[in-house]
Amino acid sequence: MSERIYDIVIIGGGPAGLSAGLYGSRSKLDVLVIEKGVFGGQAATTAELENYPGSIENCTGPALSERMKHQAEEFGTSFVYDEVVDVDFSGDIKVVKCKEAEYKGKAVIIATGAAPRLAGFKGENELRGRGVSYCATCDADFFEGLDVAVIGGGDSAITEALYLTKFAETVTIIHRRDSFRAAKSLVEKAMNHPKIKFILNSVVDEAKGDEILEGLVVRNLQTGEVSEVAVNGVFVFVGLDPITKVFEGKIALDEKGYIPTDDEMRTNVEGIFAAGDVRVKMLRQVITAAADGAIAAIAAEEYINEKFNK
Ligand code: NAP
C-alpha cells in the first residue's frame, strides 16, 4: 500500500480528468490521474471533433486526447492504469481502492464519464465484436466496402455514420423516430450524403448470424411491418450511462446515476468533486468536460488550502 498522499486523485482520464490534471499540476499540486482503459474517454472513440473551438481540420478524438495527456504530463501530472473497485470518502484523507493498489488524496475529482448503452435487441451480446460495435473509430476499418447500419438519432449516431461513409459502401441509419436529437447541420449533411440511407420510426429487434452478423430484423413502429436488412456491421449509438456504480452509497447520485454538483463542481461530500459527462448537466461535450475539469481542479485547490492550511 502506498503511503504517498496526493493533493488530488482524479478518477478517469478523459477530457475532464486530463484538464483537471493540467490545471492542478499548473497550480503545483501533486496530482494523480487513474485510468482503467484508454486516455481520452469517449472523445478517444470519436472520429472527428469539428465543434471543439480551434480544433484543426481533421482533428481526431484520439489525437486531441493524446495532446491533452501530454500537456498535463509536461506540467507534472502522474498517471496510472488501474480500475477503481471501492472508495472511502469518510475521512479527511480520501481513499481510492483499485485492483492493483490503493491511492490517497486530500481531494478527489470524479471524472469517470459515461459508457455506451446497449440497444437491447436479440443477439446484441452474442454478436458483439462479430459485427456489432459501439465504436466506429475502432472498428470502421473492418467494414471497407461493406454495408453497415447505425442505430440512433443523436449526435453520436449521425457523426459516426458520416465517418463510416469513408469505409463502408452504404450506411443505413435506423432511428426510432422521424426527428433527431442530433445537431441540425449534422442531420442535413447525412441526408445529403449519397452513401447514407435512413430507416425511420423503426427499431432493431434482432441481429441475425451464427458466427458473424449477417442482417438485422427491423420493425416499423407505426405500421408493425417487419423486414430484414442485410448488413455486415451494426454500430449502436443509443446514448450513454454514467459510470458511477462504485460511488453508489458514497455520494449523492440522481435517479439516472449522474452526480449532482454545484457550479464549482463540488458534490455533497466535502473534498469530493465531479467533472465532465458523469455530472448532472445540460451539455455533454469535450469543451464542457474540459471546462468542468479546470473548475474542479481550482475548486479542489481552494478546498485543500483551507482544509489543510497548505
Ligand atoms: P443521445 O443524445 O442520448 O441520443 C441517443 C439516441 O438513441 C436518440 O436518438 C434516442 O432516440 C436513441 N435511442 C435511445 N435508446 C434507444 C433504444 N433502446 N433503441 C433505439 N434507439 C434508442 O446519445 P449520444 O448521441 O450518444 O450523445 C450523448 C451525448 O454526447 C449528447 O449530449 C451529445 O450531444 C454528445 N455528443 C456530441 C457530439 C458532438 O457534438 N459532435 C458527438 C457525440 C456525442 P430518441 O431521440 O427517440 O430518444
Side-chain angles (χ1 to χ4, degrees):
M1 196 206 306
S2 158
E3 274 316 303
R4 179 172 177 181
I5 297 174
Y6 291 92
D7 288 316
I8 310 178
V9 173
I10 299 167
I11 309 174
L18 294 175
S19 161
L22 171 66
Y23 274 75
S25 297
R26 287 193 76 234
S27 292
K28 303 282 180 205
L29 298 175
D30 191 15
V31 181
L32 173 74
V33 177
I34 304 170
E35 169 58 52
K36 79 167 158 54
V38 178
F39 284 97
Q42 281 296 307
T45 69
T46 305
E48 206 173 319
L49 289 165
E50 62 174 24
N51 57 358
Y52 190 73
S55 59
I56 48 169
E57 208 179 326
N58 297 324
C59 172
T60 67
L64 184 69
S65 307
E66 187 46 46
R67 284 207 294 273
M68 284 181 175
K69 178 173 181 259
H70 181 69
Q71 196 178 2
E73 213 158 21
E74 289 281 290
F75 281 97
T77 304
S78 305
F79 295 95
V80 66
Y81 282 103
D82 211 337
E83 185 172 350
V84 179
V85 290
D86 197 8
V87 290
D88 182 354
F89 293 159
S90 58
D92 284 350
I93 298 299
K94 314 298 180 191
V95 184
V96 178
K97 297 171 187 166
C98 294
K99 279 188 174 161
E100 303 293 331
E102 207 170 88
Y103 303 95
K104 292 179 180 169
K106 294 173 185 162
V108 169
I109 298 175
I110 300 171
T112 44
R117 192 178 293 153
L118 302 192
F121 53 82
K122 198 173 159 205
E124 184 172 8
N125 270 323
E126 293 77 356
L127 291 171
R128 193 176 181 146
R130 299 159 180 228
V132 177
S133 170
Y134 301 82
C135 174
T137 332
C138 320
D139 298 332
D141 212 21
F142 298 124
F143 299 95
E144 185 81 53
L146 300 176
D147 299 309
V148 301
V150 165
I151 306 177
D155 282 324
S156 299
I158 310 301
T159 306
E160 302 308 311
L162 285 162
Y163 174 70
L164 282 162
T165 58
K166 295 182 187 170
F167 302 83
E169 183 63 24
T170 65
V171 180
T172 303
I173 297 175
I174 302 170
H175 178 36
R176 64 184 179 184
R177 294 190 292 140
D178 58 6
S179 56
F180 297 84
R181 278 174 204 271
K184 285 193 177 66
S185 61
L186 283 174
V187 176
E188 243 173 62
K189 232 189 214 178
M191 295 255 180
N192 291 324
H193 200 289
K195 282 188 172 181
I196 296 183
K197 300 187 275 189
F198 286 86
I199 300 180
L200 299 178
N201 300 311
S202 298
V203 290
V204 172
D205 279 341
E206 187 179 348
K208 291 265 192 191
D210 290 331
E211 288 299 310
I212 53 163
L213 180 75
E214 285 161 16
L216 300 172
V217 177
V218 175
R219 178 166 46 92
N220 186 302
L221 292 171
Q222 288 180 339
T223 63
E225 190 190 331
V226 173
S227 57
E228 219 170 298
V229 181
V231 285
N232 308 96
V234 60
F235 289 80
V236 181
F237 296 110
V238 297
L240 304 168
D241 288 317
I243 304 172
T244 50
K245 190 116 197 78
V246 79
F247 307 114
E248 280 173 11
K250 315 279 181 165
I251 55 166
L253 304 175
D254 77 356
E255 68 288 353
K256 291 180 181 158
Y258 288 95
I259 304 173
T261 68
D262 66 9
D263 287 351
E264 274 79 49
M265 311 298 141
R266 295 185 197 94
T267 68
N268 69 318
V269 175
E270 192 186 67
I272 309 299
F273 302 78
D277 284 3
V278 76
R279 204 166 73 78
V280 175
K281 64 198 292 193
M282 179 242 185
L283 186 64
R284 294 192 171 84
Q285 303 272 306
V286 176
I287 187 164
T288 60
D292 284 2
I295 296 167
I298 300 306
E301 181 188 11
E302 269 181 23
Y303 163 77
I304 291 167
N305 287 345
E306 275 171 30
K307 181 90 184 169
F308 298 91
N309 298 316
K310 201 174 158 157

